[in-house]
Amino acid sequence: MSYPQTGSEVFVSFSLSNTMFSGIGKGTITREDVSVDYLKNLFAKYGVIVSAKPEQRRLLELVNTGYDLHLEIPEKLKLIQLSEKHRRIVLVSVQGLKRVNGSLLPSYTEEEFGEATFSFVKYYVQTRHYDELVAENEKLRRELDMEIAWRNRVSEI
Protein backbone atom coordinates (compact mmCIF):
# COMPACT_ATOMS: atom_id res chain seq x y z
CA MET A 1 0.00 0.00 0.00
CA SER A 2 1.27 3.41 -0.90
CA TYR A 3 -0.02 6.41 1.00
CA PRO A 4 -0.85 9.66 -0.80
CA GLN A 5 1.21 12.82 -0.75
CA THR A 6 -1.22 15.52 0.32
CA GLY A 7 0.91 18.28 1.79
CA SER A 8 -0.84 17.60 5.12
CA GLU A 9 0.80 14.29 5.98
CA VAL A 10 0.68 12.75 9.44
CA PHE A 11 4.06 12.44 11.12
CA VAL A 12 5.02 9.15 12.79
CA SER A 13 7.81 8.87 15.34
CA PHE A 14 9.04 6.80 18.27
CA SER A 15 9.64 9.88 20.44
CA LEU A 16 8.41 13.40 21.03
CA SER A 17 10.40 16.56 21.60
CA ASN A 18 9.45 20.16 22.27
CA THR A 19 11.04 21.24 19.00
CA MET A 20 8.45 19.19 17.09
CA PHE A 21 5.73 21.50 18.43
CA SER A 22 7.55 24.83 18.07
CA GLY A 23 6.38 25.50 14.49
CA ILE A 24 2.70 25.68 15.34
CA GLY A 25 2.50 28.69 17.65
CA LYS A 26 -0.21 29.05 20.26
CA GLY A 27 -2.81 26.27 20.24
CA THR A 28 -4.30 23.32 22.06
CA ILE A 29 -2.82 19.83 21.85
CA THR A 30 -5.13 16.84 22.17
CA ARG A 31 -3.85 13.36 22.90
CA GLU A 32 -5.73 10.23 21.92
CA ASP A 33 -4.95 6.51 21.99
CA VAL A 34 -5.82 5.22 18.52
CA SER A 35 -6.35 1.84 16.87
CA VAL A 36 -4.50 0.45 13.88
CA ASP A 37 -7.67 0.65 11.77
CA TYR A 38 -7.99 4.33 12.65
CA LEU A 39 -4.35 4.88 11.61
CA LYS A 40 -4.82 3.11 8.28
CA ASN A 41 -7.76 5.40 7.47
CA LEU A 42 -5.87 8.48 8.69
CA PHE A 43 -2.78 7.61 6.63
CA ALA A 44 -4.88 6.78 3.56
CA LYS A 45 -6.55 10.21 3.78
CA TYR A 46 -3.56 12.44 4.64
CA GLY A 47 -0.44 10.41 3.88
CA VAL A 48 2.41 9.76 6.29
CA ILE A 49 5.99 10.85 6.93
CA VAL A 50 8.11 8.65 9.21
CA SER A 51 10.75 10.14 11.48
CA ALA A 52 12.96 7.36 12.81
CA LYS A 53 16.64 6.82 13.44
CA PRO A 54 18.39 4.21 11.28
CA GLU A 55 18.83 1.98 14.35
CA GLN A 56 15.02 1.91 14.76
CA ARG A 57 14.66 0.15 11.40
CA ARG A 58 13.93 -3.21 13.05
CA LEU A 59 11.22 -1.63 15.22
CA LEU A 60 9.53 -0.22 12.10
CA GLU A 61 9.77 -3.62 10.43
CA LEU A 62 8.06 -5.19 13.47
CA VAL A 63 5.32 -2.54 13.37
CA ASN A 64 4.80 -3.11 9.64
CA THR A 65 4.74 -6.90 10.01
CA GLY A 66 2.57 -6.94 13.11
CA TYR A 67 0.05 -4.27 12.11
CA ASP A 68 0.23 -4.18 8.29
CA LEU A 69 0.81 -0.42 8.27
CA HIS A 70 3.22 -0.31 5.31
CA LEU A 71 5.23 2.56 6.79
CA GLU A 72 8.20 3.72 4.75
CA ILE A 73 11.48 2.93 6.48
CA PRO A 74 13.73 5.99 6.05
CA GLU A 75 17.45 5.57 5.42
CA LYS A 76 18.25 8.53 7.69
CA LEU A 77 16.40 10.50 10.35
CA LYS A 78 13.93 13.05 9.00
CA LEU A 79 13.52 15.90 11.45
CA ILE A 80 9.91 16.92 11.73
CA GLN A 81 8.11 19.99 13.01
CA LEU A 82 4.37 20.50 13.20
CA SER A 83 3.02 23.42 11.18
CA GLU A 84 -0.23 24.87 9.88
CA LYS A 85 -0.44 22.07 7.31
CA HIS A 86 1.08 19.29 9.41
CA ARG A 87 -0.94 19.20 12.62
CA ARG A 88 -0.87 15.50 13.52
CA ILE A 89 1.83 13.29 14.95
CA VAL A 90 1.44 9.64 15.87
CA LEU A 91 3.75 8.33 18.54
CA VAL A 92 4.57 4.64 18.31
CA SER A 93 4.88 3.66 21.95
CA VAL A 94 7.16 0.67 22.55
CA GLN A 95 6.86 -1.42 25.70
CA GLY A 96 8.95 -4.38 26.81
CA LEU A 97 12.40 -3.16 25.70
CA LYS A 98 15.22 -2.03 27.99
CA ARG A 99 15.96 1.68 28.01
CA VAL A 100 18.72 3.98 29.22
CA ASN A 101 17.54 7.28 30.71
CA GLY A 102 14.15 6.68 29.08
CA SER A 103 15.60 6.25 25.58
CA LEU A 104 15.56 3.12 23.47
CA LEU A 105 18.92 1.43 23.04
CA PRO A 106 20.71 1.48 19.66
CA SER A 107 20.32 -2.30 19.27
CA TYR A 108 18.53 -5.33 20.71
CA THR A 109 18.68 -9.07 20.20
CA GLU A 110 15.94 -10.82 18.24
CA GLU A 111 14.79 -12.35 21.54
CA GLU A 112 14.44 -8.87 23.04
CA PHE A 113 12.58 -7.65 19.94
CA GLY A 114 10.22 -10.60 20.46
CA GLU A 115 9.21 -9.09 23.82
CA ALA A 116 8.31 -5.71 22.32
CA THR A 117 4.70 -4.59 22.18
CA PHE A 118 3.38 -1.46 20.52
CA SER A 119 0.57 1.03 20.97
CA PHE A 120 -0.26 4.22 19.11
CA VAL A 121 -1.05 7.71 20.37
CA LYS A 122 -2.15 10.58 18.13
CA TYR A 123 -1.38 14.17 19.05
CA TYR A 124 -3.32 16.87 17.23
CA VAL A 125 -2.67 20.60 17.47
CA GLN A 126 -5.69 22.88 17.12
CA THR A 127 -5.09 26.48 16.10
CA ARG A 128 -7.35 27.78 18.82
CA HIS A 129 -6.10 27.98 22.36
CA TYR A 130 -7.90 26.07 25.09
CA ASP A 131 -8.89 29.30 26.91
CA GLU A 132 -10.63 30.57 23.75
CA LEU A 133 -12.51 27.29 23.38
CA VAL A 134 -13.65 27.42 27.02
CA ALA A 135 -14.84 31.03 26.64
CA GLU A 136 -16.77 30.16 23.48
CA ASN A 137 -18.32 27.15 25.19
CA GLU A 138 -19.44 29.30 28.14
CA LYS A 139 -20.99 31.85 25.76
CA LEU A 140 -22.87 29.14 23.89
CA ARG A 141 -24.07 27.67 27.21
CA ARG A 142 -25.45 31.07 28.31
CA GLU A 143 -27.22 31.53 24.98
CA LEU A 144 -28.70 28.04 25.19
CA ASP A 145 -29.87 28.64 28.77
CA MET A 146 -31.55 31.89 27.67
CA GLU A 147 -33.25 30.11 24.75
CA ILE A 148 -34.50 27.33 27.03
CA ALA A 149 -35.78 29.89 29.55
CA TRP A 150 -37.59 31.75 26.75
CA ARG A 151 -39.23 28.57 25.42
CA ASN A 152 -40.26 27.43 28.91
CA ARG A 153 -41.68 30.75 30.08
CA VAL A 154 -45.12 30.76 31.59
CA SER A 155 -47.66 33.51 30.93
CA GLU A 156 -49.37 34.97 33.96
CA ILE A 157 -52.92 35.55 32.85
Side-chain angles (χ1 to χ4, degrees):
M1 169 185 279
S2 178
Y3 295 115
Q5 293 183 349
T6 64
S8 298
E9 287 82 4
V10 178
F11 293 129
V12 172
S13 183
F14 286 101
S15 62
L16 291 176
S17 70
N18 284 334
T19 57
M20 291 177 175
F21 294 99
S22 62
I24 203 77
K26 189 175 181 181
T28 299
I29 300 170
T30 58
R31 179 193 178 282
E32 173 185 11
D33 293 320
V34 293
S35 70
V36 172
D37 289 335
Y38 176 88
L39 289 179
K40 287 178 181 179
N41 290 332
L42 187 69
F43 297 161
K45 182 175 183 179
Y46 295 103
V48 64
I49 296 173
V50 178
S51 174
K53 298 175 185 172
E55 59 264 24
Q56 294 170 327
R57 177 181 194 82
R58 183 69 179 123
L59 289 173
L60 276 172
E61 290 170 349
L62 291 171
V63 167
N64 281 338
T65 301
Y67 300 99
D68 198 32
L69 283 175
H70 304 281
L71 296 173
E72 177 187 334
I73 300 174
E75 293 299 319
K76 62 181 185 170
L77 177 65
K78 294 179 185 176
L79 297 178
I80 57 176
Q81 185 178 53
L82 296 174
S83 66
E84 289 301 316
K85 290 189 174 194
H86 299 277
R87 298 181 167 279
R88 295 169 187 84
I89 183 166
V90 172
L91 177 68
V92 180
S93 180
V94 183
Q95 298 84 33
L97 293 178
K98 291 185 275 184
R99 296 172 185 266
V100 173
N101 297 325
S103 296
L104 293 168
L105 301 177
S107 65
Y108 295 96
T109 66
E110 280 305 312
E111 184 178 314
E112 289 172 316
F113 279 128
E115 298 292 319
T117 59
F118 303 92
S119 59
F120 306 94
V121 179
K122 180 186 80 171
Y123 293 84
Y124 179 75
V125 180
Q126 299 177 24
T127 57
R128 297 181 63 197
H129 191 270
Y130 179 78
D131 294 341
E132 291 175 29
L133 295 170
V134 168
E136 181 179 338
N137 193 30
E138 289 171 357
K139 178 182 176 260
L140 291 171
R141 172 57 64 190
R142 282 190 307 275
E143 290 172 0
L144 178 62
D145 289 344
M146 288 176 18
E147 179 71 22
I148 290 170
W150 173 255
R151 289 177 185 259
N152 293 335
R153 71 187 184 284
V154 177
S155 299
E156 295 182 24
I157 298 183

